[in-house]
Amino acid sequence: MPLNARTITDEELFYGHKACPGCGGALVVRQALKVLGPHAIAALPAGCMSATGFNFPQLAFGNNAMITPFASTAAVLSGIEAGLRAQGAKPEDCTVVGFAGDGGTADIGLQALSGAIDRNDDILYICYDNEAYMNTGIQRSSLTPYGASTTTTPASKREHGSITHKKSLFDIVCAHELPYAATASIGYMNDLLRKVETARNIAGTRFLHIMAPCPVGWGFPSKDLMSVAKEAVDTGLWYLAEYEGPTVSGVPGGRFKLNRNPRAFAPIAGYLQRQKRFSADDAADIEAIERARDERWEMMRSRWA
Amino acid sequence: MTEVIWHARGGQGAFTAARCLGAAATLSAGAHALAFPTFGPERRGAPMCAYTKISHAPIGDRSAVQRADIVVYLDETLLHDGWESELAPGGIMLLNTSHATDDARIIGLDADAISANILGRPIPNTAFLGAIAAVSDAVALEDIHAGIKATMSERLQEKNLKIASAAYEALTSCNGRTTGERKANAREGNNAASEAFAQALSHAKARPEGRFTPQLHSTFSADPSQFARSTCFTAGHLVSENAGWRSVKPVLDPDACTMCLSCYMSCPDGTIYKMCNDAGAATALGIDYGFCKGCGVCAEVCPAHCIAMIPEEDAEVRA
């Protein structure tokens, strides 16, 4: 039976956290833990979810959870998993799961993630992507999209925000030929739940890259969280894809799948205009964003669809 | 030494104002000053504090202010019993409110209306800089102007200067001739003035219209330990609620609810829960107001438009 609003557990495992109202990252952690269950063991590096989930002497996690050094989410996950096995203390339904932001994954934690995949440790790594270092006050990461203003790429007369495009973390991870990787968005919740469930049931290193809008950092009213998340996918600026490695799919090099391949995209101008971070972007910027999107989709459609 | 405590929500600009006040005292009035916020996971909407200390001698004590000469509340909903314990002898409280107060220690100022009139949206912080100049001898309005010019970008300066001046005028408009008299008047006879001012400006405060007439159901009392079952509770954790973050609250119309569960799936805080009948089937939805932060995501995703966000103060009246 597919996981949805009716079949998912009513138990809340991420509750009472101090994230900003309307936080996309908090929704990722909440829903993922509902799928993984109370025996999941979570590790979180410095970032929004560790700053808001652990408030000594309180803990917002209903399962075991710990904070790791910034660069070592995946290494700590490896250690937890190996330690549980060595002690013979790993429950059957225990998923060792990491929740790291885009900066903690694509910039600072990339080496540790690559190492864990290389060893194929039995862990699930979830990157909640809010497209900048939000916890420290909105600094650019390598997953910040082109044209987005941050405190380290401020919009000015000359530049209108980030001058680099979003790095393709999904491609980097899949190049390791790990058992399972997927992208998702809180705007397509059932797809997200299915992917967390799929990842839960596969052994070896699994990776999920989940788009999680940030009302404060992106500059939109908190009530618009879900429609902004959905629009990011509908405009083609984010994509829903899956990768099954050679060991799972039996295909040399692994098998890619585009879960959503629309005939036409929603116009991006409206999506950009409703977010303050893009407010300095002009027609040339929008064209550059559109061109990059079209090139990306041409690649994905020719190879994955 | 003049000490100020600023109470606000993350995003209201309390630290900006605290720093600007310190700059005003040092740059223009030649005093020494310290300004700093509390540290912790302060988030947009979360209650926070900032402090300003002003003295003619260098300031050695860098700790948080316990009892202040002036306590500022940028948000009325943060005010709780026991607030007077933060007042030093003779201290006063400056409150952002559109209501009149009968407590001589409280000076009301409708800073939301003043800033909304000038800026187009309510950002109350700089109004209180003008208010402090009106009630305290530590800084004059000219010093505040110098502080705003020194700490704010040119784009923001002009309107914030106007806001500070308007707040200053609002509190000193009762017949004082000299600065000293005006300050004294502002401290003592201010409530009549601020009441008249509040009335004049109250129309500027727009109230969001609900999509239906919300009714509060007292049966929606939540016990998170019933559904957020976890080790947190056995460890005695999760006792600090998040409700203080909220200025609007979601109210659900159970008759219009179709139980589609969109809100349940979208709540970042998991505060919407299913209420089940004896057979275990979910028949209605409840909201845990202890942990709801009032983000409004549930009302926005509801296809039946049966959740309304209503101001906290209205909700109290209805309940």
Side-chain angles (χ1 to χ4, degrees):
Chain A
M1 196 163 50
L3 270 182
N4 58 37
R6 275 166 223 293
T7 54
I8 198 166
T9 174
D10 293 339
E11 194 169 356
E12 298 294 344
L13 293 161
F14 190 50
Y15 201 83
H17 58 76
K18 310 296 175 194
C20 304
C23 173
L27 186 54
V28 169
V29 176
R30 174 187 167 226
Q31 295 286 19
L33 285 179
K34 276 166 88 98
V35 177
L36 299 176
H39 288 153
I41 297 180
L44 297 89
C48 290
M49 287 310 108
S50 58
T52 61
F54 303 79
N55 290 276
F56 183 81
Q58 297 192 29
L59 180 68
F61 289 86
N63 57 320
N64 269 319
M66 68 174 282
I67 300 181
T68 79
F70 213 156
S72 57
T73 315
V76 170
L77 293 175
S78 296
I80 293 173
E81 201 276 331
L84 286 171
R85 247 186 313 115
Q87 294 175 354
K90 189 177 177 184
E92 191 70 3
D93 60 344
C94 169
T95 307
V96 179
V97 59
F99 294 99
D102 46 296
T105 304
D107 298 349
I108 296 173
L110 192 57
Q111 176 276 330
L113 175 61
S114 181
I117 302 176
D118 182 41
R119 297 185 298 272
N120 197 26
D121 288 325
D122 188 17
I123 60 171
L124 168 57
Y125 192 109
I126 296 180
C127 169
Y128 63 93
D129 182 3
N130 48 28
E131 303 199 319
Y133 289 85
M134 297 310 184
N135 183 48
T136 46
I138 318 167
Q139 290 83 22
R140 177 200 163 274
S141 80
S142 60
L143 294 187
T144 301
Y146 178 85
S149 180
T150 68
T151 52
T152 47
T153 56
S156 64
K157 281 199 185 106
R158 206 162 70 87
E159 307 294 350
H160 299 153
S162 173
I163 56 171
T164 54
H165 289 274
K166 200 173 171 72
K167 174 161 94 180
S168 182
L169 180 62
F170 183 61
D171 294 347
I172 294 168
V173 168
C174 293
H176 292 75
E177 300 192 358
L178 77 175
Y180 182 76
T183 65
S185 163
I186 58 167
Y188 284 83
M189 187 57 80
N190 286 345
D191 176 75
L192 190 162
L193 298 178
R194 181 183 64 78
K195 285 169 176 169
V196 177
E197 191 183 25
T198 305
R200 181 190 69 191
N201 296 338
I202 291 176
T205 309
R206 299 87 78 196
F207 174 83
L208 295 177
H209 187 172
I210 304 178
M211 184 57 64
C214 168
V216 178
W218 294 18
F220 63 85
S222 60
K223 68 181 170 64
D224 291 343
L225 174 71
M226 300 306 273
S227 65
V228 168
K230 188 167 180 301
E231 204 173 348
V233 176
D234 294 344
T235 52
L237 295 177
W238 187 237
Y239 54 92
L240 306 180
E242 258 177 315
Y243 169 81
E244 288 172 331
T247 52
V248 173
S249 63
V251 177
R255 180 168 59 206
F256 285 93
K257 190 173 161 192
L258 261 181
N259 302 111
R260 207 173 168 283
N261 187 5
R263 275 208 202 100
F265 297 120
I268 65 169
Y271 171 75
L272 301 180
Q273 276 155 14
R274 69 193 295 198
Q275 301 173 45
K276 214 170 157 192
R277 60 176 177 157
F278 294 116
S279 59
D281 289 11
D282 57 21
D285 295 317
I286 295 177
E287 203 191 309
I289 295 169
E290 224 157 29
R291 196 168 52 242
R293 173 196 68 185
D294 292 343
E295 284 171 7
R296 171 84 201 168
W297 276 88
E298 197 184 325
M299 185 283 285
M300 292 194 295
R301 280 171 171 149
S302 65
R303 295 189 200 168
W304 301 355
Chain B
M1 177 132 74
T2 303
E3 295 180 303
V4 183
I5 300 177
W6 300 79
H7 287 282
R9 294 179 185 283
Q12 282 186 314
F15 180 51
T16 304
R19 198 175 45 191
C20 188
L21 178 62
T26 51
L27 294 173
S28 180
H32 296 266
L34 276 181
F36 53 96
T38 48
F39 288 97
E42 283 99 36
R43 302 281 152 179
R44 176 194 272 188
M48 58 81 68
C49 282
Y51 309 97
T52 311
K53 300 182 178 191
I54 300 169
S55 172
H56 291 292
I59 303 169
D61 180 4
R62 289 170 178 269
S63 55
V65 179
Q66 303 296 327
R67 289 163 76 84
D69 306 288
I70 302 172
V71 179
V72 182
Y73 281 85
L74 292 187
D75 191 318
E76 199 177 2
T77 57
L78 294 173
L79 191 58
H80 294 296
D81 291 343
W83 61 268
E84 62 270 18
S85 66
E86 282 185 344
L87 284 192
I92 50 168
M93 188 249 276
L94 292 172
L95 178 64
N96 181 10
T97 181
S98 56
H99 311 297
T101 55
D102 53 6
D103 189 323
R105 297 166 298 176
I106 303 177
I107 296 177
L109 176 73
D110 198 350
D112 281 351
I114 293 174
S115 54
N117 263 4
I118 295 170
L119 276 179
R121 55 199 178 115
I123 301 178
N125 58 347
T126 44
F128 282 96
L129 294 174
I132 288 172
V135 300
S136 166
D137 296 325
V139 285
L141 184 62
E142 301 77 61
D143 305 331
I144 295 293
H145 281 190
I148 289 175
K149 283 177 188 158
T151 57
M152 290 191 179
S153 69
E154 277 182 31
R155 194 169 53 84
L156 298 173
Q157 279 178 21
E158 187 193 345
K159 284 181 175 172
N160 280 298
L161 291 174
K162 271 191 200 166
I163 292 173
S165 299
Y168 182 84
E169 284 303 318
L171 291 186
T172 53
S173 57
C174 28
N175 301 329
R177 274 187 298 275
T178 67
T179 311
E181 272 177 54
R182 283 160 76 100
K183 282 188 196 288
N185 279 335
R187 290 182 79 127
E188 282 158 25
N190 66 83
N191 283 323
S194 63
E195 188 184 355
F197 190 75
Q199 279 172 354
L201 288 176
S202 61
H203 65 273
K205 263 194 151 180
R207 286 265 175 270
E209 289 290 324
R211 280 172 289 212
F212 65 98
T213 308
Q215 296 169 318
L216 290 178
H217 292 256
S218 55
T219 49
F220 287 179
S221 61
D223 176 8
S225 63
Q226 293 298 307
F227 59 95
R229 179 163 50 85
S230 67
T231 52
C232 311
F233 294 99
T234 48
H237 289 170
L238 263 190
V239 289
S240 171
E241 299 190 336
N242 294 335
W245 298 32
R246 198 173 57 213
S247 56
V248 289
K249 79 197 284 182
V251 178
L252 192 126
D253 179 4
D255 299 330
C257 174
T258 61
M259 289 297 285
C260 73
L261 301 178
S262 296
C263 55
Y264 169 78
M265 292 303 278
S266 306
C267 176
D269 293 79
T271 56
I272 296 177
Y273 59 95
K274 300 172 189 167
M275 294 194 292
C276 301
N277 60 14
D278 294 341
T283 53
L285 291 177
I287 299 170
D288 179 2
Y289 289 123
F291 287 93
C292 166
K293 294 172 188 154
C295 66
V297 168
C298 53
E300 200 65 19
V301 299
C302 179
H305 303 302
C306 70
I307 299 176
M309 302 300 295
I310 66 171
E312 278 292 318
E313 60 237 51
D314 292 3
E316 274 172 32
V317 172
R318 284 207 182 85

